Amino acid sequence: MPTAVSLFSGCGGSDAGVMAAGFDVIMANDILAYAKDVYLANFEATDYQLGDVRGISSFPAADLLVGCYPCQGFSQGGAREADRKINTLYVEFARALNVMQPKAFIAENVSGLRRSTYRHLLEDQLKRFSEAGAHGYDVHWQQLNAHEYGVAQERKRLVIVGIRKDIGAAFSFPQASHGPLAGQPYFSIGQALAGLPDWPEGEYCEDPFHWYYLSRNRRRGWDEISKTIVSHMRHMPLHPVSPPLQRIHTDSWVFESEAPARRFSYREAARLQGFMPRYTTHGGDMIFPATIADNKKDFSYNMLRHRYRVIGNAVPPPMFEAVARALPNIW
């Protein structure tokens, strides 16, 4: 079995994907303690090193390096500040690439890197990765849409793949498996949430719907794909059990009836990210540990916030699996 090292691993979306593609993830890393708790509740055999990646002085040898460095500075829903230090954590990925010199790598980030404001950062990543190690890498990049790979949500991601130059193997990004031009329709919200209760007590955010939340239509129907799953629980899209929204003014929407409405729960968000029973190679539904690392005053609310956060930051496993399976057989 080929081996992989994972950086910026979070709760394990990317790693679930590469494991399903046949890799043994021997090391993972993230700075968020609760992400580690969730990861090890599902993948207990992986050596998960908690802490800032800049403090890791050595990396084990592996065939594949994967990394989903933070995207807050690039994201359409984030700060969108080109000069934030978090935007340059890809330098640490390049450092690991130089040390390990794996046969291949996969890196992932938000599609906002393509915008002119951040294009210089994308170009710097491509340059650093292509020149890494003794041989350098043939680097390829493309925007992928998660719903075209069996994920029930709109989620655009930029994926960078490199094959070590001395190997001389070609790479092509995987074709869509779902959609009008593929062999099967998009995977819907209804399909993803099948078997879950409509009102799971204690699993969804019950905060009021702020005016900003109602500045756009955040609801989709059962037979559609969801809007993007986010990490902030108050901004989570609406569950289809909620009444439809009606536009009454520019950037202003109201519910069409007084029927109860709610956001997706954290468990539903995990399903919509691709952590679900049909994805059996990583153990079924994402398991959430009962405790968190810190000790806040309002334990239940803080627990809910952590659960939403790690799921919203995750990489959809089916999309990452498709990319890993598209790698040439160089192991």
Side-chain angles (χ1 to χ4, degrees):
M1 180 180 292
T3 56
V5 164
S6 168
L7 302 179
F8 313 100
S9 312
C11 70
S14 59
D15 297 13
V18 298
M19 288 177 193
F23 289 84
D24 177 19
V25 180
I26 58 176
M27 174 195 152
N29 158 259
D30 203 273
I31 199 169
L32 187 62
Y34 186 64
K36 176 184 178 181
D37 292 344
V38 177
Y39 187 109
L40 292 180
N42 292 276
F43 317 118
E44 60 182 12
T46 301
D47 174 22
Y48 198 111
Q49 298 191 22
L50 179 67
D52 192 325
V53 66
R54 288 168 288 200
I56 299 177
S57 58
S58 63
F59 303 91
D63 298 300
L64 177 69
L65 175 65
V66 301
C68 308
Y69 25 87
C71 63
Q72 288 91 329
F74 310 129
S75 175
Q76 184 68 22
R80 285 181 280 175
E81 296 171 354
D83 59 349
R84 292 186 69 193
K85 289 184 178 180
I86 200 170
N87 292 353
T88 56
L89 281 174
Y90 65 82
V91 173
E92 295 302 312
F93 186 83
R95 177 172 69 90
L97 199 59
N98 272 292
V99 172
M100 293 172 55
Q101 301 186 49
K103 294 179 180 178
F105 73 83
I106 307 173
E108 180 265 2
N109 214 290
V110 295
S111 60
L113 266 178
R114 302 173 63 187
R115 294 198 295 269
S116 58
T117 307
Y118 312 123
R119 187 63 186 229
H120 66 288
L121 294 170
L122 173 58
E123 296 295 339
D124 190 46
Q125 290 176 53
L126 300 177
K127 182 176 185 296
R128 287 175 184 268
F129 299 163
S130 66
E131 297 174 353
H135 305 283
Y137 288 83
D138 290 318
V139 178
H140 313 260
W141 68 274
Q142 185 171 310
Q143 176 182 293
L144 300 183
N145 301 317
H147 62 275
E148 295 183 342
Y149 299 95
V151 180
Q153 67 161 309
E154 294 177 345
R155 197 177 192 89
K156 298 177 181 179
R157 285 298 182 268
L158 189 145
V159 179
I160 306 172
V161 175
I163 309 294
R164 212 170 63 203
K165 288 182 178 179
D166 63 309
I167 296 173
F171 172 80
S172 297
F173 280 95
Q175 296 295 313
S177 59
H178 293 67
L181 302 180
Q184 50 190 325
Y186 295 131
F187 198 64
S188 70
I189 296 173
Q191 290 174 296
L193 305 189
L196 296 181
D198 285 347
W199 298 94
E201 185 177 351
E203 293 192 1
Y204 59 90
C205 175
E206 299 185 61
D207 289 357
F209 299 114
H210 193 266
W211 68 265
Y212 179 77
Y213 186 89
L214 294 175
S215 67
R216 66 190 72 175
N217 187 357
R218 298 179 187 267
R219 182 189 179 278
R220 292 280 175 84
W222 289 103
D223 60 347
E224 298 179 279
I225 58 174
S226 171
K227 290 181 172 291
T228 302
I229 297 302
V230 296
S231 62
H232 195 304
M233 67 181 187
R234 296 191 70 183
H235 296 167
M236 188 63 58
L238 287 165
H239 189 283
V241 74
S242 307
L245 285 165
Q246 177 183 356
R247 186 178 181 182
I248 60 171
H249 197 271
T250 303
D251 299 329
S252 183
W253 297 71
V254 296
F255 290 104
E256 291 184 355
S257 76
E258 295 184 1
R262 71 169 179 88
R263 303 165 177 87
F264 285 121
S265 71
Y266 66 82
R267 196 177 308 277
E268 292 160 346
R271 288 279 191 98
L272 295 169
Q273 281 277 54
F275 294 104
M276 51 186 305
R278 72 182 178 88
Y279 202 73
T280 56
T281 45
H282 73 277
D285 264 322
M286 176 61 72
I287 301 169
F288 298 88
T291 58
I292 54 178
D294 50 7
N295 185 22
K296 299 288 185 178
K297 184 179 296 184
D298 189 343
F299 181 84
S300 297
Y301 190 83
N302 193 51
M303 170 77 77
L304 196 64
R305 182 173 61 85
H306 276 274
R307 286 173 166 171
Y308 272 114
R309 180 182 180 186
V310 297
I311 287 300
N313 284 336
V315 179
M319 185 187 75
F320 217 82
E321 178 188 356
V323 176
R325 288 191 182 278
L327 293 170
N329 187 14
I330 56 178
W331 323 113

